[in-house]
Amino acid sequence: MVRLSIAALLLSTTAAFHLPSTRHTVVRPLTSSLASTTTTTANADEFTSESAKRQIGNDSFLNQDLMARAQNGPGVKNQERLKIGIVGAGLAGMVAAMDLADAGHDVEMFELRPFVGGKVSSWKDKDGNHIEMGLHVFFGCYYNLFGIMKRTGSFDTELRMKEHVHTFVNDGGSLGSLDFRFPIGAPVSGLQAFAKTEQLGLEDKFHNALRLGTSPIVRALFDFDGGMDMVRELDDISFTEWFTQLGGSRGSLDRMWDPIAYALGFVDCDHISARCMLTIFMLFAIRTEASVLRMLEGSPQTCLHDPIIKYLEDRGVKINTSTGCREIVYDTDESGKPTRVTGIKVGPKEELKEYDAVVCALDVPGIKKVLPQAFRDHYPMFDNIYNLDTVPIATVQVRFDGWVTEMNDDARMMDVSGDQSDGRGGGIDNLLYSADAEFSCFADLAVTSPGEYYKEGEGSLIQAVFDERAFDRSNDQIVQDCIDQLHALFPSSRKLKCTWSSVVKLGQSLYREKPGQDKFRPKQATPISNFFLAGSYTYQDYLDSMEGATRSGLMVADEIIARADGDKGLKAQSKAAAVASGATGETEEAKVPFFATA
């Protein structure tokens, strides 16, 4: 989840004043907003959509029917055609736009960057190299995301399934694994994987088994709801605290659980929530397919985003890139409390765009920058977002003149002749973890995702994700550290030369899954009835992930569709607001006295 140092996201301002008028207009430096007496519904932040409700709670973990829902779309067309603005063209925003367009609405999207994808972005440099924000792996329990890919036609052609093994690479080239390949599925496949792993010694295996044997996972095997309820109650302690309470060893944490924690959230077991880690383990224990890995055929832009973009454009959705949201425009009541969003101001000229509903599909730093201060002052839900922290990461790509992860045959390692596309390169075709390197997870993209990453006559393209321990180093130093650590993991690779490299830094990536954060994650529906949030940080049970982003986008769309029609629907609210503000074709800004924007 990493990228080249890209400029900060959105501009926001916080000052608010009241004009001497019966209407209330929120004013920021050099700008003003519309006004009306429309009030928000009493429980606007509660879901009215049954489909949205099915995406949260214990049942959502085991509900494979969600794939069909995502694949088939909302299944309804609204009678009222809404104008909807979506801020952010990451996975969450694009998924929401798909459903809203299919329900018959006019959708327009605004993205600050020159490309779509958010934290799953990729692009080409001037020499045609595909650069990624980070290393993206698709777990088998990503039911909603797979449904979206089936809907756009990319699932069968753009995903490559890997062997059902999670491989750890240690200094000197020794391998450990969690090998889930077994004739009997979960939970037996998982139990034998932990029992046989070479990553732990006998003593650590014993302590590991002791702790997992007393975990909520065991209860979930016969009482899933009870097990999940226990997991949810463990958000306020770290995984280390939970693991060591009843027999877990430090050795298990250092050699196996830390690499997994870094891969999940880029923090170690001492600092990651027990709820976060156990949520993933719960899925692996209950569903055989949950721990199966897939990776894209090539870059995220080509394999994931381009099919979605075509789907959207075929349905009239307009995507404005390099056009960030500068301000959210909203109405207030007599006390200055925000009641309804009327539009957004976008681009360097702060062009006003008016909408019946607005979705902010941003990441944590993005939403923090764009939310008006008045939203925070009057609604704790918005203020809670500012308690969420993020982690800095750096993604390194290094290309070599041979196959780095080919440890068994030096001649094969050096052989880059002929056509070795379609995953025929030498080495390990899977995601890799390491307890002995600063990068939490890595892979040879020329082997795992060869569609656009393999280059004839060249070898490995290693992509490795560094956490905050390395973030402040220079790009050159990070590249050299990556090469040195790869040599330590794969000693034979010292014979190879690095021919190209790239470093992509993201100062604020995933929200930091430290203890006590889950309560601060906002719902997708907000106290302002026509204003919605989407993004993987918003509340859903799949953590900060591609599946989490997809779920949030579907939930937002379902809720807007449920609220669209009727005498109290979003369209009716827009008409009432226009009447209340005395709209006559003249914009509200034109009515604001000149001194109000000084």
Side-chain angles (χ1 to χ4, degrees), residues 234-243 269-274 515:
L234 294 172
D235 189 58
D236 289 330
I237 65 171
S238 71
F239 183 72
T240 295
E241 289 177 281
W242 174 83
F243 190 73
C269 291
D270 292 349
H271 299 94
I272 198 168
S273 159

Side-chain angles (χ1 to χ4, degrees), residues 142-161:
Y142 283 7
Y143 304 129
N144 288 276
L145 180 53
F146 289 161
I148 290 295
M149 295 184 74
K150 287 175 180 286
R151 189 162 153 194
T152 62
S154 59
F155 179 82
D156 292 327
T157 61
E158 305 300 338
L159 283 174
R160 301 174 72 94
M161 185 178 290

Side-chain angles (χ1 to χ4, degrees), residues 567-579:
D567 294 339
K568 296 182 180 180
L570 296 177
K571 191 73 171 181
Q573 292 180 34
S574 293
K575 292 177 181 177
V579 172

Side-chain angles (χ1 to χ4, degrees), residues 182-204:
F182 202 68
I184 303 174
V188 177
S189 58
L191 293 173
Q192 65 85 32
F194 282 100
K196 297 195 310 184
T197 182
E198 312 92 334
Q199 189 62 16
L200 300 178
L202 288 176
E203 183 178 352
D204 285 332

Side-chain angles (χ1 to χ4, degrees), residues 22 48 173 175 179 186 283 294 316 496 586:
T22 57
T48 58
L175 299 181
D179 190 342
L283 288 172
R294 291 174 175 86
L496 304 178
E586 180 184 19

Side-chain angles (χ1 to χ4, degrees), residues 28-50:
R28 298 170 184 78
L30 304 180
T31 61
S32 65
S33 66
L34 304 185
S36 100
T37 58
T38 303
T39 59
T40 184
T41 58
N43 296 301
D45 57 337
E46 297 299 326
F47 287 120
T48 58
S49 164
E50 292 302 318

